[in-house]
Amino acid sequence: MKIKVSQTSQTPIYEQIEQQIRQQIFSGELKAGEQLLSIRALARELRIGIITAKRAYDDLCNENILVSRQGKGVYVAELDRELLREKRCSDFRKQAQQLITAGREAGLTLEEIHEILEEEGKSGAFL
Amino acid sequence: MNAIEVRGLNVRRDHFEMNNVSMEVPKGCVVGLVGRNGAGKTTLIEAIAGVTETGSGTITYDGMSIWENEKQIKQDLGVVFAEPWFNNMTSPRVLVESIYPWYPDFDFKYFVDNMQRMEIDANMTINQYSSGMLRKFLMIFVLARRPKTLILDEPTTGVDPVSRNEMLDLLYEFMQQEDHSILFSTHITSDLDKIADYIVMLEKGRVIMNESKEMLQSRYQYSGRGLPDIETIMLDIIGEGTLPNKGGR
Protein backbone atom coordinates (compact mmCIF):
# COMPACT_ATOMS: atom_id res chain seq x y z
CA MET A 1 0.00 0.00 0.00
CA LYS A 2 1.56 3.23 -1.15
CA ILE A 3 -0.22 6.39 -0.14
CA LYS A 4 0.87 10.00 -0.35
CA VAL A 5 -1.07 12.90 1.09
CA SER A 6 -0.69 16.60 0.57
CA GLN A 7 -1.34 18.75 3.63
CA THR A 8 -1.95 21.78 1.42
CA SER A 9 -4.39 20.24 -1.05
CA GLN A 10 -7.99 21.45 -1.27
CA THR A 11 -9.07 17.82 -0.98
CA PRO A 12 -9.46 16.72 2.65
CA ILE A 13 -6.77 14.27 3.73
CA TYR A 14 -9.22 11.43 4.42
CA GLU A 15 -10.58 11.80 0.89
CA GLN A 16 -7.07 11.70 -0.60
CA ILE A 17 -6.48 8.41 1.25
CA GLU A 18 -9.83 6.98 0.18
CA GLN A 19 -9.23 7.81 -3.49
CA GLN A 20 -5.81 6.17 -3.49
CA ILE A 21 -6.90 3.00 -1.71
CA ARG A 22 -9.95 2.66 -4.00
CA GLN A 23 -7.76 3.11 -7.06
CA GLN A 24 -5.22 0.56 -5.85
CA ILE A 25 -7.95 -1.99 -5.20
CA PHE A 26 -9.57 -1.51 -8.60
CA SER A 27 -6.22 -1.70 -10.34
CA GLY A 28 -5.43 -4.93 -8.51
CA GLU A 29 -2.39 -3.53 -6.71
CA LEU A 30 -4.16 -4.32 -3.46
CA LYS A 31 -5.60 -7.80 -3.47
CA ALA A 32 -8.66 -9.18 -1.72
CA GLY A 33 -7.84 -10.38 1.77
CA GLU A 34 -4.70 -8.28 1.98
CA GLN A 35 -4.15 -6.66 5.36
CA LEU A 36 -3.70 -2.90 5.50
CA LEU A 37 -1.73 -0.87 8.01
CA SER A 38 -3.56 -0.36 11.29
CA ILE A 39 -5.24 3.01 11.79
CA ARG A 40 -2.48 4.15 14.13
CA ALA A 41 0.31 2.90 11.92
CA LEU A 42 -1.24 4.68 8.94
CA ALA A 43 -1.49 7.92 10.93
CA ARG A 44 2.17 7.61 11.84
CA GLU A 45 3.23 6.73 8.30
CA LEU A 46 1.41 9.70 6.77
CA ARG A 47 1.95 12.12 9.66
CA ILE A 48 -1.74 12.74 10.13
CA GLY A 49 -4.22 12.60 13.01
CA ILE A 50 -5.54 9.23 14.15
CA ILE A 51 -9.14 10.39 13.68
CA THR A 52 -8.37 11.34 10.07
CA ALA A 53 -6.96 7.87 9.36
CA LYS A 54 -9.94 6.29 11.07
CA ARG A 55 -12.36 8.37 9.00
CA ALA A 56 -10.79 7.13 5.75
CA TYR A 57 -10.97 3.47 6.80
CA ASP A 58 -14.51 3.85 8.18
CA ASP A 59 -15.74 5.35 4.90
CA LEU A 60 -14.18 2.53 2.86
CA CYS A 61 -15.63 -0.06 5.24
CA ASN A 62 -19.06 1.51 4.71
CA GLU A 63 -18.55 1.17 0.97
CA ASN A 64 -17.78 -2.52 1.60
CA ILE A 65 -14.40 -2.14 -0.04
CA LEU A 66 -12.58 -2.81 3.22
CA VAL A 67 -13.56 -4.99 6.14
CA SER A 68 -12.55 -4.41 9.71
CA ARG A 69 -12.08 -7.48 11.88
CA GLN A 70 -12.39 -6.65 15.54
CA GLY A 71 -9.00 -6.69 17.20
CA LYS A 72 -7.27 -8.07 14.13
CA GLY A 73 -7.06 -5.25 11.65
CA VAL A 74 -8.38 -3.92 8.38
CA TYR A 75 -8.44 -6.03 5.21
CA VAL A 76 -9.34 -5.60 1.56
CA ALA A 77 -12.82 -7.07 1.13
CA GLU A 78 -13.53 -10.12 -1.05
CA LEU A 79 -15.08 -8.17 -3.86
CA ASP A 80 -17.53 -9.66 -6.29
CA ARG A 81 -15.40 -10.01 -9.44
CA GLU A 82 -18.37 -9.68 -11.76
CA LEU A 83 -19.47 -6.51 -9.98
CA LEU A 84 -15.95 -5.13 -9.99
CA ARG A 85 -15.65 -5.75 -13.71
CA GLU A 86 -18.93 -3.97 -14.34
CA LYS A 87 -17.79 -1.04 -12.25
CA ARG A 88 -14.49 -0.77 -14.08
CA CYS A 89 -16.28 -1.14 -17.39
CA SER A 90 -18.62 1.73 -16.60
CA ASP A 91 -15.67 3.83 -15.45
CA PHE A 92 -13.95 3.16 -18.75
CA ARG A 93 -17.11 4.07 -20.62
CA LYS A 94 -17.06 7.50 -18.97
CA GLN A 95 -13.44 7.99 -19.99
CA ALA A 96 -14.30 6.92 -23.53
CA GLN A 97 -17.07 9.50 -23.66
CA GLN A 98 -14.59 12.18 -22.65
CA LEU A 99 -12.15 10.95 -25.28
CA ILE A 100 -14.80 11.09 -28.01
CA THR A 101 -15.80 14.60 -26.95
CA ALA A 102 -12.15 15.65 -27.13
CA GLY A 103 -11.85 14.06 -30.60
CA ARG A 104 -14.98 15.83 -31.85
CA GLU A 105 -13.60 19.11 -30.55
CA ALA A 106 -10.43 18.43 -32.54
CA GLY A 107 -12.64 18.06 -35.65
CA LEU A 108 -12.31 14.28 -36.00
CA THR A 109 -15.13 12.07 -37.25
CA LEU A 110 -16.22 8.99 -35.35
CA GLU A 111 -14.54 6.84 -38.01
CA GLU A 112 -11.26 8.70 -37.63
CA ILE A 113 -11.39 8.32 -33.82
CA HIS A 114 -12.06 4.63 -34.29
CA GLU A 115 -9.07 4.31 -36.64
CA ILE A 116 -6.78 6.06 -34.16
CA LEU A 117 -7.89 3.75 -31.37
CA GLU A 118 -7.21 0.68 -33.48
CA GLU A 119 -3.82 1.89 -34.64
CA GLU A 120 -2.75 2.75 -31.12
CA GLY A 121 -4.11 -0.54 -29.82
CA LYS A 122 -2.16 -2.54 -32.39
CA SER A 123 1.09 -0.61 -32.01
CA GLY A 124 1.02 -1.37 -28.30
CA ALA A 125 2.76 1.93 -27.65
CA PHE A 126 0.78 2.42 -24.47
CA LEU A 127 2.44 -0.59 -22.87
CA MET B 1 -14.14 7.62 28.15
CA ASN B 2 -11.92 10.64 28.66
CA ALA B 3 -8.30 10.26 29.75
CA ILE B 4 -8.60 13.76 31.20
CA GLU B 5 -11.76 15.75 31.80
CA VAL B 6 -11.79 19.33 33.09
CA ARG B 7 -15.13 20.82 34.10
CA GLY B 8 -15.81 24.42 35.11
CA LEU B 9 -12.29 24.99 36.38
CA ASN B 10 -11.38 28.32 37.97
CA VAL B 11 -7.86 29.34 38.90
CA ARG B 12 -6.94 32.68 40.43
CA ARG B 13 -3.46 34.08 40.44
CA ASP B 14 -1.97 37.52 41.08
CA HIS B 15 -2.43 38.91 37.62
CA PHE B 16 -4.28 36.11 35.98
CA GLU B 17 -7.64 34.46 36.19
CA MET B 18 -8.86 31.30 34.53
CA ASN B 19 -12.62 31.19 34.17
CA ASN B 20 -14.92 28.23 33.89
CA VAL B 21 -12.58 26.16 31.73
CA SER B 22 -13.99 22.88 30.45
CA MET B 23 -12.16 20.60 28.04
CA GLU B 24 -11.30 16.96 27.65
CA VAL B 25 -8.69 14.60 26.27
CA PRO B 26 -10.59 11.62 24.84
CA LYS B 27 -8.81 8.32 25.42
CA GLY B 28 -6.68 7.30 22.47
CA CYS B 29 -6.60 10.84 21.07
CA VAL B 30 -4.18 13.74 20.80
CA VAL B 31 -5.28 17.21 21.87
CA GLY B 32 -3.38 20.36 20.97
CA LEU B 33 -3.82 23.25 23.39
CA VAL B 34 -3.15 26.45 21.50
CA GLY B 35 -3.22 30.12 22.36
CA ARG B 36 -0.86 33.02 22.59
CA ASN B 37 1.54 33.69 25.44
CA GLY B 38 -0.34 34.39 28.65
CA ALA B 39 -3.56 32.75 27.46
CA GLY B 40 -3.42 30.27 30.35
CA LYS B 41 -1.98 27.17 28.71
CA THR B 42 0.70 26.55 31.33
CA THR B 43 -1.75 27.25 34.18
CA LEU B 44 -4.17 24.68 32.80
CA ILE B 45 -1.41 22.10 32.34
CA GLU B 46 -0.11 22.73 35.86
CA ALA B 47 -3.65 22.33 37.21
CA ILE B 48 -4.06 19.00 35.40
CA ALA B 49 -0.60 17.90 36.58
CA GLY B 50 -1.67 18.75 40.12
CA VAL B 51 1.15 21.18 40.82
CA THR B 52 -0.89 24.35 41.21
CA GLU B 53 -3.72 25.34 43.50
CA THR B 54 -7.12 25.48 41.86
CA GLY B 55 -10.42 27.07 42.83
CA SER B 56 -13.80 25.52 42.03
CA GLY B 57 -14.24 22.99 39.26
CA THR B 58 -13.24 19.37 38.77
CA ILE B 59 -10.51 17.43 37.00
CA THR B 60 -10.90 13.70 36.48
CA TYR B 61 -8.49 11.12 35.10
CA ASP B 62 -10.13 8.07 33.48
CA GLY B 63 -13.23 9.19 35.37
CA MET B 64 -11.45 9.26 38.74
CA SER B 65 -10.64 12.22 40.95
CA ILE B 66 -7.09 12.50 42.21
CA TRP B 67 -8.03 11.56 45.78
CA GLU B 68 -9.76 8.39 44.61
CA ASN B 69 -6.58 6.79 43.34
CA GLU B 70 -3.66 9.19 43.50
CA LYS B 71 -1.00 6.50 43.10
CA GLN B 72 -2.48 5.02 39.92
CA ILE B 73 -3.24 8.41 38.38
CA LYS B 74 0.26 9.71 38.99
CA GLN B 75 1.78 6.53 37.62
CA ASP B 76 -0.25 6.79 34.41
CA LEU B 77 0.39 10.49 33.92
CA GLY B 78 3.65 11.69 32.37
CA VAL B 79 4.25 15.42 32.34
CA VAL B 80 6.99 17.22 30.41
CA PHE B 81 7.12 20.71 31.90
CA ALA B 82 8.38 23.73 30.00
CA GLU B 83 11.15 24.23 32.55
CA PRO B 84 13.28 21.34 33.85
CA TRP B 85 12.57 20.90 37.56
CA PHE B 86 15.95 19.43 38.44
CA ASN B 87 19.49 20.72 38.87
CA ASN B 88 20.77 21.20 35.33
CA MET B 89 24.40 20.93 36.42
CA THR B 90 23.86 17.21 36.59
CA SER B 91 23.99 14.73 33.70
CA PRO B 92 21.08 12.53 32.61
CA ARG B 93 23.06 9.47 33.62
CA VAL B 94 23.49 10.69 37.20
CA LEU B 95 19.91 11.91 37.28
CA VAL B 96 18.48 8.61 36.12
CA GLU B 97 20.67 6.64 38.51
CA SER B 98 19.50 8.80 41.41
CA ILE B 99 15.77 8.59 40.65
CA TYR B 100 15.79 4.98 39.45
CA PRO B 101 15.12 3.43 42.90
CA TRP B 102 12.07 5.69 43.36
CA TYR B 103 10.45 4.74 40.07
CA PRO B 104 10.29 0.96 39.81
CA ASP B 105 8.57 1.23 36.43
CA PHE B 106 11.33 3.32 34.88
CA ASP B 107 12.24 1.58 31.62
CA PHE B 108 16.01 1.88 31.61
CA LYS B 109 16.40 0.14 28.27
CA TYR B 110 13.90 2.45 26.57
CA PHE B 111 15.74 5.44 27.99
CA VAL B 112 19.20 4.30 26.87
CA ASP B 113 18.03 3.11 23.43
CA ASN B 114 16.23 6.32 22.62
CA MET B 115 18.97 8.61 23.94
CA GLN B 116 21.30 6.74 21.60
CA ARG B 117 18.85 6.88 18.73
CA MET B 118 18.47 10.65 19.14
CA GLU B 119 22.24 10.96 19.55
CA ILE B 120 22.06 12.65 22.94
CA ASP B 121 25.08 12.16 25.17
CA ALA B 122 23.79 11.11 28.60
CA ASN B 123 27.13 11.99 30.22
CA MET B 124 27.05 15.70 29.38
CA THR B 125 25.63 18.01 32.01
CA ILE B 126 22.16 19.15 31.08
CA ASN B 127 23.07 22.85 30.99
CA GLN B 128 25.36 22.09 28.03
CA TYR B 129 22.47 20.79 25.94
CA SER B 130 21.04 22.75 23.04
CA SER B 131 17.33 23.42 23.42
CA GLY B 132 16.57 20.68 20.90
CA MET B 133 18.63 18.14 22.88
CA LEU B 134 17.06 19.27 26.15
CA ARG B 135 13.49 18.93 24.83
CA LYS B 136 14.20 15.50 23.38
CA PHE B 137 15.90 14.33 26.56
CA LEU B 138 12.96 15.53 28.71
CA MET B 139 10.51 13.72 26.47
CA ILE B 140 12.46 10.44 26.51
CA PHE B 141 12.95 10.76 30.27
CA VAL B 142 9.20 11.06 30.88
CA LEU B 143 8.27 8.41 28.28
CA ALA B 144 10.68 5.97 29.95
CA ARG B 145 8.34 5.99 32.95
CA ARG B 146 5.85 4.34 30.59
CA PRO B 147 2.88 6.64 31.21
CA LYS B 148 -0.51 6.12 29.57
CA THR B 149 -1.30 9.81 29.26
CA LEU B 150 1.40 12.22 28.20
CA ILE B 151 1.23 15.97 28.83
CA LEU B 152 3.74 18.33 27.25
CA ASP B 153 4.02 22.07 27.86
CA GLU B 154 5.47 23.90 24.84
CA PRO B 155 7.57 20.90 23.81
CA THR B 156 8.94 22.43 20.62
CA THR B 157 10.01 25.90 21.76
CA GLY B 158 13.42 26.63 20.30
CA VAL B 159 13.67 23.24 18.62
CA ASP B 160 14.96 22.87 15.06
CA PRO B 161 12.83 21.14 12.38
CA VAL B 162 14.87 17.92 12.34
CA SER B 163 14.54 17.50 16.10
CA ARG B 164 10.84 18.41 15.94
CA ASN B 165 10.39 15.62 13.45
CA GLU B 166 12.18 13.18 15.77
CA MET B 167 9.95 14.27 18.64
CA LEU B 168 6.93 13.70 16.44
CA ASP B 169 8.24 10.18 15.78
CA LEU B 170 8.39 9.50 19.53
CA LEU B 171 4.82 10.76 19.93
CA TYR B 172 3.48 8.63 17.07
CA GLU B 173 5.25 5.61 18.56
CA PHE B 174 3.65 6.34 21.91
CA MET B 175 0.23 6.61 20.23
CA GLN B 176 0.44 3.14 18.67
CA GLN B 177 -1.16 1.90 21.91
CA GLU B 178 -4.90 2.41 21.77
CA ASP B 179 -5.24 3.44 25.40
CA HIS B 180 -2.59 6.15 25.20
CA SER B 181 -3.48 9.84 24.99
CA ILE B 182 -1.59 13.12 24.60
CA LEU B 183 -2.20 16.74 25.58
CA PHE B 184 0.36 19.25 24.35
CA SER B 185 0.45 23.02 24.34
CA THR B 186 1.99 25.35 21.82
CA HIS B 187 1.88 29.05 21.01
CA ILE B 188 3.18 28.61 17.49
CA THR B 189 2.29 26.40 14.60
CA SER B 190 4.57 23.45 14.92
CA ASP B 191 4.86 20.14 13.16
CA LEU B 192 3.09 18.67 16.17
CA ASP B 193 -0.20 19.95 14.76
CA LYS B 194 -0.05 17.03 12.36
CA ILE B 195 -0.68 14.50 15.11
CA ALA B 196 -3.46 16.47 16.84
CA ASP B 197 -7.01 15.11 16.64
CA TYR B 198 -8.60 17.96 18.57
CA ILE B 199 -7.65 21.60 19.01
CA VAL B 200 -8.56 23.52 22.15
CA MET B 201 -7.91 27.24 21.97
CA LEU B 202 -7.44 29.40 25.05
CA GLU B 203 -7.60 33.18 25.12
CA LYS B 204 -7.46 35.30 28.28
CA GLY B 205 -8.09 32.31 30.54
CA ARG B 206 -11.13 31.04 28.65
CA VAL B 207 -11.73 28.30 26.13
CA ILE B 208 -12.72 30.01 22.88
CA MET B 209 -12.65 26.95 20.67
CA ASN B 210 -12.81 23.18 21.14
CA GLU B 211 -13.15 21.22 17.93
CA SER B 212 -11.81 18.25 16.02
CA LYS B 213 -9.13 19.16 13.50
CA GLU B 214 -11.18 17.43 10.81
CA MET B 215 -14.18 19.74 11.43
CA LEU B 216 -11.98 22.78 11.76
CA GLN B 217 -10.21 22.22 8.49
CA SER B 218 -13.38 21.38 6.58
CA ARG B 219 -14.86 24.70 7.71
CA TYR B 220 -11.92 26.53 6.19
CA GLN B 221 -11.59 24.33 3.17
CA TYR B 222 -13.32 26.64 0.73
CA SER B 223 -11.13 29.61 1.45
CA GLY B 224 -9.39 28.89 -1.85
CA ARG B 225 -5.99 28.42 -0.24
CA GLY B 226 -6.02 24.78 0.62
CA LEU B 227 -6.23 23.64 4.20
CA PRO B 228 -4.95 26.33 6.53
CA ASP B 229 -2.55 25.54 9.34
CA ILE B 230 -3.52 26.00 12.95
CA GLU B 231 -1.73 29.32 13.25
CA THR B 232 -3.85 30.83 10.49
CA ILE B 233 -7.02 29.53 12.11
CA MET B 234 -5.90 30.88 15.47
CA LEU B 235 -5.30 34.36 14.06
CA ASP B 236 -8.62 34.21 12.30
CA ILE B 237 -10.58 33.33 15.42
CA ILE B 238 -8.82 35.86 17.61
CA GLY B 239 -9.79 38.40 14.97
CA GLU B 240 -6.57 39.37 13.31
CA GLY B 241 -6.78 36.93 10.48
CA THR B 242 -6.77 37.29 6.76
CA LEU B 243 -8.93 34.40 5.67
CA PRO B 244 -11.84 35.46 3.45
CA ASN B 245 -14.50 33.42 5.25
CA LYS B 246 -14.43 34.07 8.95
CA GLY B 247 -14.64 31.07 11.22
CA GLY B 248 -16.29 33.20 13.85
CA ARG B 249 -16.80 32.41 17.46
Side-chain angles (χ1 to χ4, degrees), chain B residues 45-139:
Chain B
I45 281 180
E46 284 177 357
I48 293 169
V51 297
T52 195
E53 223 171 284
T54 59
S56 59
T58 59
I59 304 174
T60 53
Y61 311 82
D62 275 340
M64 290 182 295
S65 296
I66 192 81
W67 60 81
E68 284 179 68
N69 200 342
E70 183 167 353
K71 192 166 173 248
Q72 186 67 47
I73 289 170
K74 289 200 163 162
Q75 208 166 54
D76 290 347
L77 206 62
V79 188
V80 184
F81 292 103
E83 298 293 332
W85 45 267
F86 41 78
N87 175 10
N88 67 2
M89 296 296 283
T90 180
S91 71
R93 180 167 303 281
V94 171
L95 182 73
V96 166
E97 276 164 5
S98 66
I99 65 130
Y100 196 36
W102 307 100
Y103 291 98
D105 292 331
F106 192 89
D107 189 336
F108 200 72
K109 188 176 181 315
Y110 176 92
F111 180 76
V112 172
D113 287 352
N114 280 284
M115 289 289 277
Q116 256 167 21
R117 184 173 139 211
M118 301 287 158
E119 297 177 344
I120 309 170
D121 184 351
N123 294 311
M124 266 163 79
T125 60
I126 293 164
N127 65 348
Q128 287 177 291
Y129 280 178
S130 68
S131 43
M133 286 164 82
L134 176 66
R135 293 277 138 217
K136 283 188 283 186
F137 153 64
L138 291 173
M139 198 185 258

Side-chain angles (χ1 to χ4, degrees), chain B residues 2 37 73 79 82 88 122 134 140 143 160 175 183-184 186 189 195:
Chain B
N2 290 321
N37 290 326
I73 289 170
V79 188
N88 67 2
L134 176 66
I140 294 166
L143 281 171
D160 63 272
M175 286 308 291
L183 171 68
F184 70 85
T186 179
T189 298
I195 198 178

Side-chain angles (χ1 to χ4, degrees), chain B residues 173-214:
Chain B
E173 264 170 41
F174 175 74
M175 286 308 291
Q176 296 303 305
Q177 293 286 328
E178 280 181 28
D179 60 344
H180 285 183
S181 322
I182 297 177
L183 171 68
F184 70 85
S185 77
T186 179
H187 69 283
I188 47 156
T189 298
S190 65
D191 310 316
L192 295 200
D193 298 342
K194 289 178 188 156
I195 198 178
D197 295 306
Y198 295 91
I199 304 288
V200 173
M201 193 178 290
L202 285 183
E203 170 73 351
K204 296 185 178 132
R206 291 171 186 274
V207 173
I208 60 165
M209 192 192 79
N210 185 351
E211 234 177 292
S212 78
K213 198 172 67 182
E214 266 312 284

Side-chain angles (χ1 to χ4, degrees), chain B residues 34 188-189 193 201 216 220 223 225-247:
Chain B
V34 302
I188 47 156
T189 298
D193 298 342
M201 193 178 290
L216 198 59
Y220 285 89
S223 65
R225 296 191 191 175
L227 302 177
D229 55 34
I230 297 308
E231 194 163 49
T232 315
I233 293 171
M234 185 160 105
L235 286 171
D236 191 49
I237 286 181
I238 292 173
E240 289 159 19
T242 51
L243 284 175
N245 63 331
K246 288 274 173 185

Side-chain angles (χ1 to χ4, degrees), chain B residues 6-29:
Chain B
V6 179
R7 288 290 172 260
L9 188 72
N10 293 286
V11 180
R12 246 170 208 284
R13 285 197 175 162
D14 290 348
H15 302 286
F16 180 76
E17 216 174 296
M18 205 156 81
N19 288 306
N20 197 26
V21 165
S22 295
M23 54 84 65
E24 54 286 310
V25 181
K27 201 178 237 322
C29 292

